[in-house]
Amino acid sequence: MTYQELFTQISAKKTYLCVGLDTDIRKIPSHLLQEADPVFEFNKQIIDATADYCVSYKPNIAFYEAMGAKGWESLQKTLEYIPATHFTIADAKRGDIGNTSGLYARTFFDPTSSGLDFDSVTVAPYMGSDSVIPFLEYENKWVILLALTSNIGSSDFQRLQVEDSSLYEQVLKISQQWAGADRMMYVVGATQAPEFEKIRTIVPDHFLLVPGVGAQGGDLEEVSRFGMNSHCGLLVNASRSIIYAGNGIDFSQKARQEAFKIQQEMATYLDLYCK
Amino acid sequence: MTYQELFTQISAKKTYLCVGLDTDIRKIPSHLLQEADPVFEFNKQIIDATADYCVSYKPNIAFYEAMGAKGWESLQKTLEYIPATHFTIADAKRGDIGNTSGLYARTFFDPTSSGLDFDSVTVAPYMGSDSVIPFLEYENKWVILLALTSNIGSSDFQRLQVEDSSLYEQVLKISQQWAGADRMMYVVGATQAPEFEKIRTIVPDHFLLVPGVGAQGGDLEEVSRFGMNSHCGLLVNASRSIIYAGNGIDFSQKARQEAFKIQQEMATYLDLYCK
């Protein structure tokens, strides 16, 4: 999916919601456990219920890997079920030396090898250029690079002062040599709202993938006010607050209501701040 | 495996070699492709051929993931085949917010969930404390944290000056608050030999996992001279130079010869520098 196609979806549906599929078999409604593939069944119902109100899905790879080969099969079925209208993100936070990153790229972008064909993958920047570039060798695929994450530990290293700015700002600056806003996005946590203005001076055009709204406490209005650009430029993720909104037979209804609520709020912010 | 048990193995076998199982189905000898699980068959023969000369095996997770669910099965069988005398490393370079890192820990350390039971996992430090600590909640399991890697891109961020030292030195310093030398190791690339003396002033007791000897050009003598401590303190990895030493019917013989050659060199360095 291209930058323009993504913006077209956002404009048409008036939402920049990404639904995080952090599907933990220990947390899904118990009536699903009798299904052949409970994780896929859960995801399928969540996707059916929320697709109208989001533009993206983000399976969190840890949750599938934790189940071994079986989890990998659930992931593949889930990815195939997501409509082509939705931007897909493998939230994997990979990054290794060049030849290994090449294999991770094959994992998420080459269906003839792994069965998976994501639009994008999240990548950790610590190992530098040659750990990121192999992902950019696949046409029309995106890298979403960690910049300033939503967790407490983000201050341990990401905010260390390096010359006249912090490490995460260096990541934003240096990585722009590897790809432009048409192939690269950045992860910036919703809990970091005060930083968004500064971030927009460094990467005015890029999409930012913003986790941390919902369970982690980030503020959607602030993120939108400080983070939005003329092409929206935001994919705001909510995972647990949507997918675990209910825990009974009607869990997908509850998820739909929660996604709808966020979409309504987003429609307002698009009118206000997307200019 | 404990620190002392690992040192006992090293002393008894006079080797600190780790064999990297970067098994790419596109590179293994063609006669194996008729096997039901060519990747496992390759690994099995490599393990049989090299176990006498190494103390550790390090499957590179990317290579298994790239084959989807099938690859995950090959990984599980490989891990089960590695003798209990050998320290096992999941080279995965994971790291995410706390609850997700908890799932990655479950992946590599909880066989009731994933089928895998590694001794250790490599972790990227960029997201800080709460991305690392969940891995330390499993008793007797190790975190191997990226410090200064062997690739060109390591200079992009790891060597940036932060206050009076570089970022990777900050990683070494700050992470010591999370665990001691009995539960944490660090990745330091063999291509960074001149840095080993400085690194040993910061982490005198820790084991260092050292990739980059062989295909990447690091020098084993230098690494050993500057990096070794009184408990050896080194696991030096070689992957491609061993596992792809041959490409015919006799590939495992060639791998054995290559591992033997390295072990002989290591025996000399243990005599010289392990004090």
Side-chain angles (χ1 to χ4, degrees), chain B residues 20-223:
Chain B
L21 299 171
D22 296 20
T23 309
D24 187 341
I25 193 152
R26 300 181 189 177
K27 283 192 190 161
I28 65 178
S30 56
H31 72 277
L32 294 176
L33 297 177
Q34 66 208 13
E35 301 284 340
D37 185 341
V39 165
F40 172 62
E41 189 56 36
F42 178 85
N43 287 348
K44 184 169 168 291
Q45 293 191 37
I46 290 285
I47 293 165
D48 287 342
T50 58
D52 291 341
Y53 304 131
C54 69
V55 289
S56 177
Y57 287 102
K58 179 173 76 62
N60 185 331
I61 305 304
F63 289 74
Y64 302 87
E65 282 193 356
M67 296 184 302
K70 204 158 32 88
W72 213 256
E73 282 164 14
S74 306
L75 176 63
Q76 186 176 341
K77 282 190 273 179
T78 299
L79 184 62
E80 284 164 4
Y81 193 75
I82 296 172
T85 44
H86 289 66
F87 184 78
T88 53
I89 302 169
D91 196 2
K93 303 196 170 68
R94 301 299 195 258
D96 207 309
I97 64 168
N99 84 314
T100 300
S101 273
L103 269 286
Y104 280 126
R106 208 196 275 176
T107 302
F108 297 110
F109 293 156
D110 180 354
T112 66
S113 178
S114 65
L116 301 177
D117 191 13
F118 278 94
D119 289 313
S120 66
V121 62
T122 57
V123 177
Y126 189 73
M127 293 182 67
S129 58
D130 53 326
S131 70
V132 178
I133 288 168
F135 292 98
L136 295 164
E137 284 164 7
Y138 286 74
E139 256 182 81
N140 300 321
K141 301 295 189 182
W142 295 72
V143 162
I144 307 181
L145 199 64
L146 302 187
L148 184 58
T149 57
S150 57
N151 61 321
I152 304 253
S154 65
S155 59
D156 286 330
F157 304 117
Q158 297 165 26
R159 287 178 178 278
L160 287 179
Q161 282 300 302
V162 179
E163 291 165 16
D164 59 345
S165 63
S166 55
L167 175 62
Y168 86 84
E169 292 172 75
Q170 291 289 329
V171 168
L172 292 173
K173 286 173 192 164
I174 292 172
S175 62
Q176 287 185 66
Q177 300 161 16
W178 311 334
D182 58 329
R183 300 288 304 283
M184 184 103 80
M185 301 185 184
Y186 295 100
V187 173
V188 181
T191 52
Q192 312 281 3
E195 303 281 316
F196 274 77
E197 275 189 291
K198 183 162 67 180
I199 289 168
R200 275 302 180 205
T201 66
I202 309 173
V203 286
D205 301 323
H206 289 70
F207 269 89
L208 307 178
L209 172 63
V210 185
V213 161
Q216 292 180 63
D219 185 291
L220 179 57
E221 196 277 332
E222 274 193 8
V223 165

Side-chain angles (χ1 to χ4, degrees), chain A residues 1-4 87 119 136 139-143 176 178-185 205-207:
Chain A
M1 187 178 287
T2 66
Y3 188 99
Q4 189 55 48
F87 185 76
D119 288 315
L136 294 164
E139 254 182 84
N140 300 321
K141 302 294 188 180
W142 294 72
V143 163
Q176 287 184 67
W178 311 333
D182 58 327
R183 298 289 303 283
M184 183 103 79
M185 301 185 183
D205 301 322
H206 289 71
F207 268 89

Side-chain angles (χ1 to χ4, degrees), chain B residues 231-249:
Chain B
H231 288 76
C232 180
L234 296 174
L235 288 175
V236 172
N237 182 79
S239 302
R240 287 169 275 177
S241 63
I242 292 179
I243 70 174
Y244 301 132
N247 195 33
I249 298 284

